[in-house]
């Protein structure tokens, strides 16, 4: 009963909102769903590193290890559910920063597509199932650079 | 819309943008007490825009922590400029907030 009611309310709200917003609302919704389609689902579902590389860069390339990437991650993560990760790079012309966790069920964790004026300096918090290498990929001028760091996980963050 | 806490601060010649979003980030791999799989429910995309210009689009997978955090550094926006931070999840829900550069 509860569920039905909630659905009905959401529907009603949705309809009301759509009529208020009129044409603009519909256009907005379209833009959103189109943007959603661009989300690289297969890459996020890929279970091996080489599959992820193929999905992201259309070939299984081996990135150049670079000392110009600073991958900030803890040596030991007490709680695998919240591991702070930061990636910074002095390589010019960076267009994308990717964070991968080698031993997670699906390695691809996050991909930052840099727009106008954005610097290669991003951070987030991720989940890690167990001790693993964390890899930061930096794409600049068609080349892919990498840095990796091992993070020891005491309690995994993916189990139930 | 509620659910996003954001800050943008000008430091030197660049703006540091930080945002904290309220979201369960359910991976789809966990099971409840009865052994049923909890369906995936996670943010897929975070966009940060300034005056119609996209500063960054981040694709998030289910392995990003619950109540996700994002930070970026961007040059261009100046004090008083408005930035728009928005997220979209795999169920089609979305939220956005406006933040003024301080």
């Amino acid at each position: 009963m509860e569920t039905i009611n909630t659905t009905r309310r959401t529907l009603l709200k949705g309809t009301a909102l759509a009529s208020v917003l009129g044409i603009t609302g519909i256009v907005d919704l379209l833009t959103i769903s189109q943007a959603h389609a661009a989300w690289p689902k297969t890459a996020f579902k890929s279970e091996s590193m080489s599959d992820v590389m193929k999905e992201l860069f259309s070939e299984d390339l081996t990135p150049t290890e670079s000392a110009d990437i600073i991958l900030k991650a803890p040596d030991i993560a007490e709680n695998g559910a919240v591991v702070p990760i930061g990636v910074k790079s002095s390589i010019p012309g960076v267009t994308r920063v990717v964070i991968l966790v080698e031993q997670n069920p699906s390695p691809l964790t996050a991909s930052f597509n840099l727009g106008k004026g954005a610097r290669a300096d991003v951070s987030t918090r991720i989940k890690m199932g167990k001790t693993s290498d964390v890899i930061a990929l930096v794409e600049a001028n068609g080349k892919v650079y990498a840095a990796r760091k091992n993070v020891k996980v005491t309690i995994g963050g993916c189990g139930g | 819309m509620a659910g996003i806490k954001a800050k943008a601060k000008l430091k030197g010649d660049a703006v540091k943008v930080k945002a904290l979003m309220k979201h369960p980030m359910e991976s789809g791999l966990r099971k409840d007490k009865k052994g049923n799989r909890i369906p995936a429910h996670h943010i897929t995309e975070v966009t940060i825009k300034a005056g119609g210009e996209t500063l960054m689009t981040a694709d998030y997978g289910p392995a990003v922590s619950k109540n996700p955090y994002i930070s970026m550094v961007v040059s261009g926006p100046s004090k008083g400029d408005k930035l728009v931070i928005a997220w979209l999840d795999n169920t089609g829900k979305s939220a956005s907030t406006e933040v003024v550069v301080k």
Side-chain angles (χ1 to χ4, degrees):
Chain A
M1 209 47 203
E2 182 95 344
T3 351
I4 295 166
N5 267 333
T6 339
T7 327
R8 189 168 161 261
R9 189 152 300 174
T10 327
L11 262 176
L12 282 173
K13 258 191 200 163
T15 326
L17 199 70
S19 45
V20 169
L21 293 175
I23 286 291
T24 358
I26 292 160
V27 171
D28 271 357
L29 283 173
L30 277 177
T31 337
I32 287 170
S33 56
Q34 272 164 4
H36 194 203
W39 188 66
K41 193 175 176 180
T42 329
F44 275 105
K45 290 251 191 261
S46 298
E47 290 172 7
S48 77
M49 288 292 290
S50 63
D51 283 350
V52 173
M53 296 305 283
K54 270 183 224 158
E55 284 299 327
L56 288 181
F57 306 108
S58 63
E59 55 173 320
D60 183 11
L61 48 82
T62 317
T64 324
E65 299 272 330
S66 169
D68 295 326
I69 303 171
I70 303 161
L71 172 58
K72 241 172 104 180
D75 295 324
I76 299 169
E78 275 168 28
N79 181 3
V82 187
V83 185
I85 303 288
V87 184
K88 207 171 170 175
S89 174
S90 55
I91 299 167
V94 175
T95 49
R96 180 149 63 153
V97 175
V98 179
I99 297 170
L100 303 159
V101 180
E102 208 164 30
Q103 299 296 326
N104 264 5
S106 312
L108 180 58
T109 304
S111 168
F112 302 88
N113 306 295
L114 305 184
K116 200 189 165 203
R119 295 184 183 177
D121 186 348
V122 296
S123 64
T124 184
R125 294 202 280 244
I126 65 167
K127 290 184 257 189
M128 289 179 69
K130 56 181 172 193
T131 299
S132 168
D133 271 8
V134 173
I135 300 154
L137 299 178
V138 168
E139 188 179 5
N141 305 314
K143 278 192 172 168
V144 184
Y145 304 89
R148 62 167 69 218
K149 190 181 175 193
N150 189 266
V151 177
K152 276 204 167 70
V153 176
T154 328
I155 308 165
C158 290
Chain B
M1 281 250 229
I4 307 177
K5 271 188 200 170
K7 265 185 186 172
K9 200 167 186 212
L10 186 71
K11 237 185 194 175
D13 62 343
V15 176
K16 174 132 187 174
V17 187
K18 294 183 202 173
L20 201 55
M21 296 152 266
K22 207 172 169 184
H23 203 282
M25 296 303 280
E26 200 54 71
S27 68
L29 301 172
R30 294 202 312 154
K31 285 175 181 168
D32 65 12
K33 279 175 192 157
K34 285 177 189 159
N36 300 319
R37 209 156 257 230
I38 304 169
H41 184 206
H42 60 86
I43 289 177
T44 51
E45 222 176 73
V46 182
T47 49
I48 302 176
K49 286 186 183 180
E53 196 106 47
T54 305
L55 306 178
M56 179 161 82
T57 314
D59 293 324
Y60 271 13
V64 174
S65 300
K66 182 180 173 179
N67 298 333
Y69 170 76
I70 195 165
S71 90
M72 73 170 300
V73 177
V74 61
S75 53
S78 46
K79 245 179 218 191
D81 281 2
K82 266 185 199 157
L83 305 183
V84 178
I85 300 165
W87 61 253
L88 181 74
D89 75 13
N90 65 329
T91 65
K93 283 200 189 104
S94 63
S96 75
T97 193
E98 244 182 32
V99 62
V100 177
V101 178
K102 281 186 179 157

